[in-house]
Amino acid sequence: DILSEIRNDYPHSLYAVDITDDDKQVWFDKYKYDIPVLHMEDVYWTKHRLTKEEAIQGIEEAVGGGGEFECRKGEPDAGRLEH
C-alpha cells in the first residue's frame, strides 16, 4: 500500500469508512461503483489507484499549501448517473 510505504517520510492519518453503514447512505450513493475513494481534508482526492508520486504531491499540498487542499476533478457520483 502506497500510503503505508510513505508514512514515515510523509506523516498522515488514514481511516476507512464503511459506506454500507446506515449513516453513510450519501457516500454509498456516490461511490458504490468506485471504491476505494480517498478524501483529503474532507474533500475528494482520488479513486481506485494512487501512485507514490501522486500521494506525496497530495500530502505536500495539504501540509504546505496553506492548509487548503483543493478537490480534484473526476469525483464519482453514481447516484446522479442512475437518475
Side-chain angles (χ1 to χ4, degrees):
D1 170 64
I2 296 295
L3 293 172
S4 295
E5 181 182 326
I6 67 168
R7 178 167 283 149
N8 289 333
D9 294 327
Y10 300 90
H12 59 275
S13 297
L14 178 67
Y15 66 93
V17 174
D18 185 344
I19 65 171
T20 64
D21 287 347
D22 291 340
D23 64 333
K24 303 295 188 288
Q25 186 66 45
V26 171
W27 284 13
F28 179 81
D29 290 344
K30 288 179 76 167
Y31 301 141
K32 60 186 162 189
Y33 303 127
D34 288 294
I35 50 180
V37 172
L38 296 174
H39 282 212
M40 176 100 61
E41 299 181 353
D42 295 324
V43 296
Y44 173 76
W45 182 15
T46 191
K47 62 183 179 184
H48 303 163
R49 294 193 174 123
L50 181 68
T51 68
K52 185 175 182 177
E53 292 77 22
E54 290 168 330
I56 291 168
Q57 179 183 12
I59 292 170
E60 285 180 338
E61 179 183 329
V63 173
E68 291 292 324
F69 183 82
E70 293 188 21
C71 182
R72 301 298 198 258
K73 293 180 181 178
E75 181 175 13
D77 191 349
R80 181 182 55 81
L81 297 174
E82 292 177 340
H83 294 110

